[in-house]
Amino acid sequence: MGYTIAQKIIKAHMLSGDMTVGSEIALKIDQTLTQDATGTMAYLEFETMGLDRVKTERSVAYIDHNTLQSGFENADDHRYIQSVAKKHGIYFSRPGNGICHQVHLERFGKPGKTLIGSDSHTPTGGGIGMLAMGAGGLDVAVAMGGGAYYITMPKMYKVNLTGKLNPYVTAKDISLEILRILSVKGGVGAIIEWGGEGIKTLSVPERATITNMGTELGATTSIFPSDEVTKAFLEAEGRAEDYIPLSSDPDAVYDRVIDINLSELKPLIACPHSPDNVVTVESLKGTKVDQVCIGSCTNSSLYDMLKVAAMLKGKIIQPSVSLSISPGSKQVLSMLADCGALSDILASGARLLECACGPCIGMGFSPNSGGVSLRTFNRNFEGRSGTADGQVYLVSPETAVAAALTGEITDPRIFGTMPEVKMPDSFKIDDTAVVEPASPQEAADIEVLRGPNIKPFPSARPFNDSLSAELVLKVGDNITTDHIMPAGAKILPYRSNIPHLSQFCFGVCDKTFPERAKALGQSIIVGGSNYGQGSSREHAALVPMYLGVRAVITKSFARIHVANLINAGIMPLTFENPDDYDRISQGDMLSMNDIFAGMDNGKIVLEDKTTGESFNLVCSFTDRQKAILKAGGLLQYTKEG
Ligand code: MIC
Ligand code: SF4
């Protein structure tokens, strides 16, 4: 039996385990990336491991999320990350150099390598045939130290593309189509390989749009072959030597195969508040639009921006619409400037934002109240834009421009022939915004600069054999990490200050949660299915842990979040019978006994002392995970080990 692309990379990096689906495997990690909103915590964790230098082939620290410096906090965190990176062998991408995933694709990613990043959109690297996965900061810290990254061996899905995209139908529409087919939980436990004749027509930036948004499916990652298209991209980046060909074997076996005919696709749009709430753009024709945002790690490549500029050229946007453009990297922005496309964008009335995440993570550009915002981003979770009642829709750059020009949701195909966009044979290479680490000799003298915003992180409590605690919060299906630990301009600067952050925990669902949880001392949360989808932020586990949450019981979990819970020493459990979810209420007093034996045999009985009922909970912890929980979290476990 042959291998899929992902299985080939896994096989070459496997440190322990075997490729039985569902079993735990340990992988050697070649590259890591961090961004500043999760990076501060990841480097604090790395420092506590007491290692001098990273052991990876390449580790890069990006500053792209917290670039609004409305106080000392973000600037202090940047200084901390820059100094810690210099000391420990990590490349530092300065603020303004671009969004981590875009820059990593351009300058560092390599086909066939493994990459983990403390950001859930790290799978963007799958666009050039990397096995690239999002992870919690602590897992990234361990990988920087040379430790293995543990995942559950995923199933293999294949998406076969046939045909060719019509004008104004784009890679973003392919992403939205697969979300429509699979939903935000349809990729959980799977790696999605993209193949078929249709991929030959997709450039690397288009492929990267698709692997980027594969995160929204809940997939472990998504991957394209490394082929002539990949080779041309790497050559244009002056990195021909990084190319290796990579494809699946003809007799590789997939657990599921999905066919998409590109020729039949139409422009699509994801409606509030979920990326899988997908309909055709034409079905929403005429809906008034207040704001349009173009950028984010999904759609900010030079190719995307050149198309946007070509559509805007010689036209003026509607006065009722506010349009923002954030190019993905300095490379993209300076090439737009050099070829004159930037002038076309500015002349249209667009507002140019810096090369960073910006509005995607609520760092400015929040819509007006109740405002309709069309964004080329990957997430439209409730409240994420910074405006609680903002109505965010996800679209392609072409559909975004069509809305800016008409003031309403408009199928871009009405614009007739798409202006031709010619990609250059080579990109402008300027790595001056990437600061190299110090040599091992110089490193000893480098002082790590810490600001007052960095607070010691809380330590979890080891588990006892029994637990009695109140059900402090009961939430529904598809709870995102943006619900658990919101971001945005007011909160993000405190990513290294867990006590401060804790005031906002679950603020979208129940503002009284932090107070109540703290008062209880220890508590349990109950959720529906796909709990913890979205971001990789470990803060969505560390903050509940700080507030005393000991266990989370759900119908099912999202992959990165469940790992973060275990790392934070919070026990993730699922209902054996999902209907039991309905028989338990917020405020009930819950208790579990014989936890250790239960962890071993995969079943723990939950008694509801308030109603007198009892339920079976299931778990399938590996020996390593049990030891982590017993030790009180991964950090404690790593120190003890
Ligand atoms: C996001 O898109 O939600 C983020 C902000 O990039 C996060 C990381 C974070 O919360 O810092 C992610 O996707 O992991
Ligand atoms: Fe940044 Fe948005 Fe991409 Fe997250 S999804 S890395 S916030 S651009």
Side-chain angles (χ1 to χ4, degrees):
M1 189 184 85
Y3 292 109
T4 68
I5 302 171
Q7 285 168 341
K8 287 184 184 182
I9 304 179
I10 289 173
K11 195 160 161 274
H13 289 82
M14 184 106 84
L15 295 174
S16 70
D18 60 60
M19 288 209 265
T20 312
V21 171
S23 66
E24 188 176 69
I25 55 170
L27 294 176
K28 175 182 175 300
I29 297 303
D30 302 320
Q31 297 191 345
T32 63
L33 70 80
T34 57
Q35 38 90 337
D36 48 330
T38 52
T40 322
M41 199 52 85
Y43 294 113
L44 287 168
E45 288 157 343
F46 179 78
E47 283 189 295
T48 63
M49 289 172 195
L51 295 166
D52 286 340
R53 226 172 157 76
V54 292
K55 299 215 167 72
T56 43
E57 291 173 15
R58 177 63 55 108
S59 286
V60 190
Y62 294 90
I63 307 289
D64 53 1
H65 282 61
N66 282 335
T67 53
L68 273 189
Q69 289 158 223
S70 43
F72 65 90
E73 293 86 356
N74 289 337
D76 277 8
D77 283 358
H78 298 172
R79 262 179 11 137
Y80 165 68
I81 294 176
Q82 179 160 5
S83 59
V84 89
K86 185 133 198 132
K87 190 172 181 72
H88 294 290
I90 299 145
Y91 287 74
F92 177 75
S93 171
R94 301 181 60 186
N97 195 38
I99 305 174
C100 55
H101 309 303
Q102 175 67 24
V103 178
H104 207 82
L105 195 73
E106 291 169 358
R107 306 303 307 139
F108 300 113
K110 292 185 187 180
K113 296 285 181 186
T114 51
L115 163 72
I116 66 168
S118 62
D119 191 283
S120 66
H121 290 102
T122 305
T124 312
I128 46 167
M130 299 192 90
L131 188 77
M133 292 163 287
L138 193 43
D139 283 327
V140 175
V142 169
M144 286 192 285
Y149 178 52
Y150 292 84
I151 58 166
T152 305
M153 182 65 200
K155 293 178 279 190
M156 299 290 143
Y157 288 2
K158 169 107 184 244
V159 185
N160 258 322
L161 298 181
T162 53
K164 190 172 179 317
L165 290 171
N166 285 310
Y168 294 106
V169 188
T170 70
K172 182 59 160 279
D173 301 302
I174 306 176
S175 297
L176 294 172
E177 172 68 359
I178 192 74
L179 273 155
R180 192 186 64 76
I181 297 171
L182 286 177
S183 88
V184 289
K185 39 185 190 205
V188 175
I191 291 182
I192 301 179
E193 180 181 311
W194 291 77
E197 277 299 297
I199 64 162
K200 292 195 183 137
T201 62
L202 298 175
S203 63
V204 163
E206 290 172 292
R207 294 174 178 191
T209 294
I210 294 171
T211 52
N212 172 284
M213 235 183 139
T215 298
E216 272 52 66
L217 299 163
T220 304
T221 189
S222 306
I223 193 162
F224 274 82
S226 173
D227 57 9
E228 290 303 311
V229 174
T230 325
K231 190 169 172 217
F233 176 81
L234 288 170
E235 277 169 3
E237 282 289 348
R239 302 201 286 127
E241 68 286 0
D242 290 343
Y243 174 73
I244 55 155
L246 200 60
S247 58
S248 54
D249 291 329
D251 54 346
V253 177
Y254 297 90
D255 298 277
R256 182 166 176 186
V257 178
I258 295 163
D259 294 304
I260 297 180
N261 182 346
L262 298 179
S263 314
E264 287 171 4
L265 275 189
K266 292 180 172 174
L268 296 172
I269 182 165
C271 304
H273 298 286
S274 182
D276 61 357
N277 207 354
V278 174
V279 297
T280 60
V281 173
E282 62 194 349
S283 70
L284 296 184
K285 180 172 174 263
T287 307
K288 198 181 149 306
V289 172
D290 299 288
Q291 184 192 61
V292 174
C293 303
I294 300 179
S296 94
C297 55
T298 318
N299 280 122
S300 60
S301 65
L302 181 65
Y303 181 57
D304 282 330
M305 293 294 160
L306 287 176
K307 287 188 299 178
V308 167
M311 281 181 77
L312 288 173
K313 192 178 168 106
K315 302 199 175 97
I316 305 288
I317 60 167
Q318 288 295 317
S320 54
V321 177
S322 173
L323 168 65
S324 76
I325 309 267
S326 11
S329 67
K330 190 175 95 166
Q331 181 180 81
V332 173
L333 178 56
S334 76
M335 290 184 76
L336 284 176
D338 290 353
C339 74
L342 186 60
S343 301
D344 297 331
I345 291 175
L346 295 176
S348 75
R351 287 171 63 182
L352 183 68
L353 306 185
E354 79 177 311
C355 306
C357 300
C360 179
I361 190 59
M363 284 306 233
F365 227 77
S366 300
N368 52 296
S369 45
V372 169
S373 179
L374 258 60
R375 302 178 160 210
T376 66
F377 306 167
N378 46 39
R379 291 185 173 150
N380 57 347
F381 303 146
E382 200 171 358
R384 183 175 160 100
S385 66
T387 299
D389 59 359
Q391 303 295 309
V392 177
Y393 294 76
L394 306 175
V395 295
S396 69
E398 283 82 337
T399 303
V401 174
L405 290 174
T406 60
E408 50 188 49
I409 297 181
T410 303
D411 188 324
R413 291 175 298 177
I414 66 154
F415 284 86
T417 314
M418 174 74 194
E420 211 193 318
V421 165
K422 202 177 152 355
M423 286 297 287
D425 294 332
S426 60
F427 294 102
K428 186 172 171 184
I429 293 154
D430 169 9
D431 289 330
T432 48
V434 177
V435 182
E436 293 201 6
S439 67
Q441 297 74 23
E442 291 160 357
D445 297 329
I446 290 175
E447 188 198 346
V448 176
L449 307 169
R450 287 164 224 279
N453 189 39
I454 296 182
K455 296 279 179 273
F457 42 80
S459 42
R461 282 169 280 180
F463 265 95
N464 294 326
D465 203 25
S466 63
L467 173 70
S468 281
E470 188 177 310
L471 199 180
V472 64
L473 185 72
K474 184 176 172 187
V475 288
D477 288 343
N478 292 325
I479 286 294
T480 71
T481 49
D482 277 285
H483 290 103
I484 307 172
M485 197 52 253
K490 292 192 198 78
I491 306 179
L492 263 186
Y494 299 96
R495 280 291 181 86
S496 46
N497 185 343
I498 299 290
H500 184 87
L501 269 189
S502 70
Q503 305 166 57
F504 306 98
C505 189
F506 274 111
V508 186
C509 308
D510 178 351
K511 289 209 169 14
T512 67
F513 169 76
E515 285 272 295
R516 293 190 296 108
K518 223 170 172 178
L520 287 170
Q522 59 176 12
S523 58
I524 293 175
I525 290 175
V526 165
S529 57
N530 200 25
Y531 179 90
Q533 67 158 327
S535 157
S536 66
R537 59 190 75 146
E538 59 188 331
H539 306 77
L542 292 175
V543 171
M545 178 262 274
Y546 171 79
L547 291 171
V549 175
R550 307 303 315 276
V552 180
I553 305 169
T554 67
K555 294 183 189 172
S556 67
F557 287 96
R559 178 186 75 91
I560 305 176
H561 188 60
V562 81
N564 286 340
L565 286 174
I566 295 171
N567 288 350
I570 296 179
M571 194 154 46
L573 297 161
T574 46
F575 291 106
E576 185 176 51
N577 173 6
D579 294 340
D580 288 347
Y581 167 89
D582 297 316
R583 293 162 59 203
I584 192 166
S585 309
Q586 187 165 312
D588 287 0
M589 196 60 206
L590 307 176
S591 106
M592 296 178 225
N593 292 315
D594 303 323
I595 293 179
F596 296 151
M599 280 185 183
D600 286 335
N601 59 36
K603 204 172 263 187
I604 293 179
V605 177
L606 179 77
E607 286 174 52
D608 188 327
K609 298 281 184 202
T610 309
T611 62
E613 288 198 82
S614 61
F615 313 103
N616 285 337
L617 304 178
V618 287
C619 54
S620 55
F621 300 126
T622 62
D623 288 343
R624 190 185 66 94
Q625 291 171 327
K626 282 182 238 168
I628 293 173
L629 286 169
K630 284 183 190 164
L634 179 58
L635 212 50
Q636 199 52 35
Y637 167 78
T638 313
K639 277 190 203 153
E640 285 171 10

